[in-house]
Amino acid sequence: MQQRNWGRAGLRVPEIGLGCWQLGGGWNKHWDDDIAQHILQAAYDSGVRFIDTADVYGDGASERSIGRFLQQQRDGSLVVASKLGRAGIYPDHYTREALREATLRSLERLQLDCLDLTQLHCVPTAVLRQGHVFDWLRELQQAGLIRRWGASVESVDEAMLCLEQSELSSLQIIFNIFRQKPAEVLLPRAAAQGVAIIVRLPLASGLLSGMITRSTTFGDDDHRNFNRDGALFNVGETFAGLPLETGIAATEQLAALVPAGMTMAQMALRWILDHPAVSVVIPGASRPEQVHANVAAASVAPLPAALQQALAALYRSDVHDAIRGPY
């Protein structure tokens, strides 16, 4: 895989990483560490060197699985990122002590002395605006517990607030064919400031895989069922904020635009990679085969200009106005 610059931090990382929300189970399914180890090994063998997790994923199980894997690999080229700010802290328990304790617990589960990247995990806008959390992250950095810090956000407005922090290393955002707004102002601004962009939910909770149809059903414990309308967390985290029926109708139109020899998922990932401000894309995987398919998108040629224009037109006409939640 090609490597990309990590903002001004001096890092270079392969452009496809691994998002670990559903690693080994997740999405409220039973956690299986054996599956997690197979997925992590498949990612490593495929050239993935950026792993993104959070303390809340699997109630710490994702970090524990990654920690076990790291003890086997002991490879200094792996960049491990986690997130804090939801487990036991959200929505109004943000203190210096809470962030420090969350960091120490993550380090223990990951079996690390220092975390490559810590990110605020979709904390309330008011907390970002107050700014204390950024000072507490600086203290963790000065204490040698984290090397870099960033923020995972829900909206462009929240991202812009974070960009006011001169030492911000990265922003994690939702960005895909169905959620194109960040390309307008945010990506150019981040690039100008040397801030890395991590793209999560590149396949819009599976919609852009092309595998979800009108007859697809989801388990009771799958967020694509219980959070379909934002019942438990921001609706933008599920199907990019689209009503499922709207999203499926849009993917049916997208199917006609997929170039020969390419899957819809590969087209969707390639669309993101065609934005040079993006540092790394972190699709998830529930089995090793998905890892291999995601990494294959890095070898796909840039999308033709005519296809880019068609995707932009579909977004404007059939998607933009249907997106719900902070954007």
Side-chain angles (χ1 to χ4, degrees):
M1 281 190 288
Q2 292 188 4
Q3 294 193 340
R4 298 193 175 203
N5 289 326
W6 185 269
R8 60 176 178 273
L11 276 179
R12 286 180 63 80
V13 296
E15 56 194 3
I16 300 288
L18 179 67
C20 296
W21 184 3
Q22 74 269 44
L23 178 71
W27 292 3
N28 287 334
K29 295 179 181 178
H30 172 71
W31 197 267
D32 189 323
D33 184 60
D34 288 340
I35 293 175
Q37 297 306 315
H38 286 304
I39 292 170
L40 288 163
Q41 190 64 55
Y44 182 83
D45 292 343
S46 299
V48 169
R49 292 297 182 270
F50 183 86
I51 301 172
D52 176 86
T53 185
D55 56 5
V56 75
Y57 294 166
D59 192 24
S62 177
E63 289 183 329
R64 285 191 290 270
S65 287
I66 293 168
R68 295 184 189 103
F69 179 76
L70 294 175
Q71 290 305 301
Q72 298 297 319
Q73 289 298 333
R74 297 186 180 277
D75 185 342
S77 70
L78 277 167
V79 177
V80 180
S82 195
K83 299 185 287 291
L84 52 74
R86 303 292 290 190
I89 300 177
Y90 180 88
D92 54 6
H93 297 289
Y94 294 92
T95 65
R96 172 185 287 108
E97 292 74 20
L99 265 63
R100 181 180 177 85
E101 285 302 313
T103 300
L104 291 173
R105 288 194 296 269
S106 286
L107 288 171
E108 181 179 5
R109 288 189 290 262
L110 290 163
Q111 302 185 55
L112 294 172
D113 297 321
C114 181
L115 195 55
D116 294 316
L117 174 69
T118 288
Q119 305 155 92
L120 298 172
H121 196 180
C122 301
V123 307
T125 304
V127 174
L128 296 176
R129 190 171 287 116
Q130 289 169 356
H132 302 310
V133 287
F134 300 112
D135 292 331
W136 299 331
L137 290 175
R138 290 184 179 96
E139 292 175 5
L140 293 172
Q141 187 178 33
Q142 292 165 3
L145 296 176
I146 63 175
R147 294 187 177 88
R148 304 165 191 85
W149 52 268
S152 178
V153 296
E154 300 286 10
S155 70
V156 169
D157 287 345
E158 289 177 349
M160 290 299 189
L161 276 175
C162 295
L163 283 171
E164 295 176 5
Q165 303 294 323
S166 60
E167 297 159 3
L168 183 77
S169 178
S170 63
L171 282 169
Q172 185 175 142
I173 61 170
I174 306 172
F175 182 52
N176 55 54
I177 290 173
F178 286 164
R179 206 171 172 95
Q180 300 187 20
K181 181 179 177 180
E184 299 168 7
V185 176
L186 176 57
L187 294 192
R189 171 83 176 272
Q193 293 186 208
V195 173
I197 292 291
I198 306 166
V199 173
R200 74 179 185 275
L201 296 172
L203 302 182
S205 306
L207 269 179
L208 291 168
S209 71
M211 304 300 291
I212 295 177
T213 69
R214 296 178 187 273
S215 62
T216 300
T217 59
F218 305 100
D220 291 341
D221 291 336
D222 191 319
H223 79 103
R224 293 173 294 182
N225 183 14
F226 66 75
N227 196 61
R228 189 173 298 181
D229 296 312
L232 289 187
F233 45 85
N234 177 27
V235 69
E237 300 286 346
T238 303
F239 300 132
L242 292 173
L244 180 57
E245 296 75 14
T246 302
I248 291 175
T251 59
E252 289 171 347
Q253 295 185 66
L254 277 180
L257 299 175
V258 179
M262 190 184 303
T263 66
M264 184 182 294
Q266 289 171 342
M267 180 182 74
L269 291 170
R270 185 67 253 176
W271 181 88
I272 298 168
L273 294 174
D274 285 346
H275 293 80
V278 170
S279 303
V280 63
V281 185
I282 52 169
S286 58
R287 58 185 189 277
E289 294 79 10
Q290 288 180 320
V291 173
H292 300 312
N294 292 335
V295 170
S299 62
V300 172
L303 302 182
L307 178 54
Q308 294 276 12
Q309 292 166 5
L311 295 173
L314 176 62
Y315 164 75
R316 289 192 301 268
S317 64
D318 292 81
V319 174
H320 177 273
D321 291 345
I323 295 174
R324 302 164 296 172
Y327 183 28

